[in-house]
């Protein structure tokens, strides 16, 4: 039987985990996470690695234009991700229109063939769903992570000979400029994400899996996804399966989100639907994401790196901490995962130590500026819920976290 990719390859007494502070506010939340992780004291040895805009700037100084080592992802980081049991990564910064620049996360998904993007949406205690009637939302979204429009097979302008490939291109022949991005699906690509979703449902006693596609219009690619879904669903007779149009899903997620348990979908639709689902449970600041494949698993929060607040400790650390919960579950450290999740919930319910974004966006408090504590203060409150003796060790733990996430040498 194929191994369960949602779990680490090999069970161990201690794990090695690479941590990537990312860019800008990423460093702040990773420092916060390292305070909390020290209080949690899981059997993990942390291995520092770097990736993102900071590495692009650094390698641009080191290597001449055109040199392959100019990259957001250094070889050293690839090796560390390969040689550890999992990777925890904070947000990175992307800048459009920079010649030679390639997104670090997109590269990692391809390098390690991280075909699952697991994006659950569940309301944490202390947060409110913006929808009427407070529906029970607990959605596990499986986004295909390597194919579709993310295959990076694109032309602009489209070479002349390509216009003869398909009769449908006839009407574009006299346009001033034509750009084409290929949407590539493979049967293997469809099968493995669909199976991952069903296997997850089966292993976790979930009763329904929904495939979201646009087979009614995009017949070749989504037609294949739908056909493979209906075929594979027969192997899981105890699970209710249905397929629907992804635009309808976007609507039903607002109307009846409680009707979804497991969703499986393509890369682009998953990108969009997961952002939508996050808004039902507190926003992007609370949305975790796991990029998972046979060879590696890289866990990152869905939110961005908020460059304007870089190194100011303003944004909330929950996105990365909930991502850490997911990573601990992947490692099979379920007790640690549960303790961490409970501590985050306790601080949210207590509503004393919250960052500005939670006061403003989740609590809708007009005094959000006055009430806000820093990223690190909120992390310390969470650490205090995990370890009642935290205060006594706080100075030492905070200094260590600061050292683990030093960024000055990269600037
Ligand atoms: C995400 C992001 C990425 C994506 C970007 C940053 C490349 O939006 O992880 O959802 O498009 O996949
Ligand atoms: Mg996205």
């Amino acid at each position: 039987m194929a191994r369960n990719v949602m779990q680490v390859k090999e069970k161990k007494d201690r794990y090695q985990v690479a941590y990537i502070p990312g860019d800008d506010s990423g460093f702040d939340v990773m420092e916060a996470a390292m305070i909390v992780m020290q209080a949690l004291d899981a059997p993990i040895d942390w291995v520092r690695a770097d990736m993102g805009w900071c590495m692009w700037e650094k390698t641009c100084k080191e290597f001449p234009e055109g040199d392959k080592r100019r990259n957001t992802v250094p070889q050293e980081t690839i090796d560390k991700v390969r040689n550890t049991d999992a990777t925890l990564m904070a947000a990175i910064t992307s800048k459009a229109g920079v010649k030679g620049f390639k997104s670090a996360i997109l590269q990692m998904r391809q390098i390690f063939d991280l075909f699952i993007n697991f994006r659950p949406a569940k309301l944490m205690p202390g947060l409110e769903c913006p929808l009427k009637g407070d529906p029970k939302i607990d959605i596990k979204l499986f986004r295909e992570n390597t194919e579709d429009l993310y295959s990076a097979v694109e032309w602009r302008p489209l070479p002349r000979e390509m216009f003869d490939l398909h009769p449908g291109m006839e009407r574009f022949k006299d346009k001033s400029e034509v750009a084409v991005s290929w949407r590539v699906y493979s049967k293997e690509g469809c099968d493995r994400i669909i199976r991952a979703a069903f296997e997850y449902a089966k292993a976790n006693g979930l009763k329904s899996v929904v495939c979201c596609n646009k087979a009614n219009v995009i017949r070749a690619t989504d037609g294949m996804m739908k056909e493979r879904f209906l075929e594979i669903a027969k192997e899981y007779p105890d699970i209710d399966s249905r397929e629907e149009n992804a635009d309808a899903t976007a609507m039903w997620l607002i109307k009846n989100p409680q009707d979804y348990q497991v969703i499986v979908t393509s890369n682009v639709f998953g990108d969009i639907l997961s952002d939508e689902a996050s808004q039902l449970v507190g926003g992007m600041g609370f949305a975790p994401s796991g990029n998972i494949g046979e060879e590696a698993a890289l866990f990152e929060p869905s939110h961005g790196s908020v460059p304007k607040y870089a190194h100011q400790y303003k944004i909330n650390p929950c996105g990365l901490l909930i991502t850490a919960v997911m990573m601990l579950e992947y490692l099979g450290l379920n007790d640690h995962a549960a303790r961490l999740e409970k501590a985050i919930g306790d601080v949210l319910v207590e509503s004393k130590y919250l960052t500005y974004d939670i006061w403003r966006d989740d609590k809708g408090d007009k005094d959000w500026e006055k009430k806000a504590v820093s990223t690190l203060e909120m992390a310390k409150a969470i650490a205090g819920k995990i370890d009642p003796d935290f205060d006594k060790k706080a100075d030492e733990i905070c200094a260590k976290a600061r050292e683990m996430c030093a960024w000055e040498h990269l600037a």
Side-chain angles (χ1 to χ4, degrees):
M1 210 190 97
R3 83 174 187 92
N4 176 5
V5 281
M6 299 294 281
Q7 288 283 309
V8 70
K9 226 189 275 179
E10 193 190 333
K11 291 270 180 236
K12 296 180 183 169
D13 292 336
R14 279 193 85 74
Y15 293 100
Q16 283 215 313
V17 173
Y19 69 103
I20 300 177
D23 290 309
D24 296 320
S25 304
F27 282 90
D28 303 2
V29 289
M30 186 58 86
E31 189 178 329
M34 287 305 148
I35 292 174
V36 177
M37 294 312 279
Q38 286 180 75
L40 188 64
D41 198 23
I44 290 176
D45 298 318
W46 297 96
V47 178
R48 166 83 184 252
D50 288 292
M51 177 166 110
W53 182 256
C54 61
M55 283 296 111
W56 173 252
E57 286 198 307
K58 186 165 180 275
T59 54
C60 279
K61 279 182 219 149
E62 286 169 358
F63 306 111
E65 210 182 310
D67 192 309
K68 284 215 163 57
R69 288 167 296 177
R70 268 191 176 198
N71 198 343
T72 49
V73 183
Q75 184 59 42
E76 204 189 335
T77 297
I78 297 175
D79 296 339
K80 283 176 181 166
V81 169
R82 180 166 290 125
N83 296 324
T84 49
D85 299 297
T87 299
L88 182 67
M89 172 181 160
I92 53 174
T93 303
S94 290
K95 296 195 188 178
V98 179
K99 201 173 154 222
F101 175 89
K102 283 199 269 172
S103 154
I105 186 64
L106 293 184
Q107 289 187 67
M108 295 305 274
R109 289 172 186 168
Q110 295 295 338
I111 292 168
F112 289 102
D113 195 23
L114 304 172
F115 68 97
I116 299 169
N117 196 325
F118 180 51
R119 296 194 153 174
K122 191 173 90 181
L123 198 67
M124 291 293 291
L127 295 183
E128 246 175 74
C129 174
L131 301 179
K132 289 201 290 258
D134 197 18
K136 190 177 169 320
I137 299 171
D138 191 356
I139 298 168
K140 313 292 180 195
L141 188 139
F142 284 76
R143 164 189 179 192
E144 201 290 323
N145 213 22
T146 56
E147 302 192 337
D148 195 347
L149 290 169
Y150 284 71
S151 306
V153 188
E154 306 190 290
W155 295 268
R156 186 184 168 192
L158 188 69
R160 282 329 296 178
E161 64 270 23
M162 300 289 291
F163 283 84
D164 298 326
L165 277 181
H166 194 283
M169 289 308 289
E170 195 58 39
R171 70 194 172 96
F172 292 102
K173 275 187 172 161
D174 61 352
K175 302 292 179 211
S176 59
E177 190 180 352
V178 171
V180 169
S181 304
W182 267 3
R183 188 175 200 241
V184 189
Y185 282 30
S186 69
K187 185 174 165 197
E188 288 75 7
C190 292
D191 283 15
R192 63 184 182 171
I193 192 69
I194 294 166
R195 282 226 160 74
F198 275 111
E199 284 296 321
Y200 181 90
K202 190 171 147 189
N204 292 281
L206 300 173
K207 286 278 159 260
S208 112
V209 178
V210 182
C211 172
C212 308
N213 60 74
K214 279 294 284 183
N216 58 336
V217 181
I218 318 173
R219 304 225 170 142
T221 46
D222 273 347
M224 180 159 76
M225 173 74 113
K226 172 177 165 179
E227 199 182 289
R228 294 309 302 155
F229 178 77
L230 295 175
E231 192 57 35
I232 291 168
K234 292 181 194 155
E235 296 168 26
Y236 301 88
D238 297 337
I239 296 174
D240 290 336
S241 52
R242 67 174 198 273
E243 61 82 27
E244 65 188 28
N245 293 335
D247 52 343
T249 311
M251 183 262 299
W252 287 116
L253 276 179
I254 304 289
K255 282 191 90 153
N256 285 328
Q258 69 282 357
D259 289 353
Y260 292 88
Q261 288 193 326
V262 177
I263 291 178
V264 60
T265 191
S266 61
N267 206 337
V268 173
F269 294 156
D271 183 38
I272 298 166
L273 292 174
S274 62
D275 278 15
E276 184 189 354
S278 80
Q279 283 308 313
L280 307 178
V281 294
M284 295 286 276
F286 293 90
S289 145
N291 300 270
I292 302 170
E294 298 282 352
E295 296 310 317
L298 193 156
F299 298 86
E300 47 154 2
S302 295
H303 67 73
S305 59
V306 203
K308 69 174 177 187
Y309 288 150
H311 312 306
Q312 293 177 39
Y313 300 107
K314 289 212 190 247
I315 73 168
N316 107 64
C318 297
L320 185 58
L321 288 172
I322 297 170
T323 301
V325 171
M326 186 197 268
M327 186 194 77
L328 291 165
E329 285 168 351
Y330 171 83
L331 294 173
L333 300 171
N334 293 334
D335 291 348
H336 291 87
R339 279 168 61 209
L340 174 55
E341 191 173 14
K342 173 151 193 326
I344 302 166
D346 286 351
V347 168
L348 290 169
V349 169
E350 193 180 59
S351 274
K352 215 163 138 194
Y353 300 100
L354 305 178
T355 49
Y356 88 91
D357 50 336
I358 303 179
W359 283 121
R360 192 188 65 185
D361 305 337
D362 295 287
K363 305 276 175 192
D365 197 306
K366 283 198 266 333
D367 284 332
W368 56 271
E369 251 171 325
K370 263 192 248 138
K371 289 187 175 168
V373 303
S374 75
T375 309
L376 298 186
E377 289 306 321
M378 184 164 178
K380 285 192 238 174
I382 296 169
K385 298 287 181 202
I386 293 169
D387 178 0
D389 286 335
F390 174 75
D391 274 352
K392 287 183 215 143
K393 315 169 199 163
D395 288 350
E396 200 187 315
I397 284 182
C398 292
K400 175 88 194 291
R402 180 71 197 79
E403 189 190 309
M404 288 176 81
C405 298
W407 54 271
E408 292 83 354
H409 63 290
L410 301 175

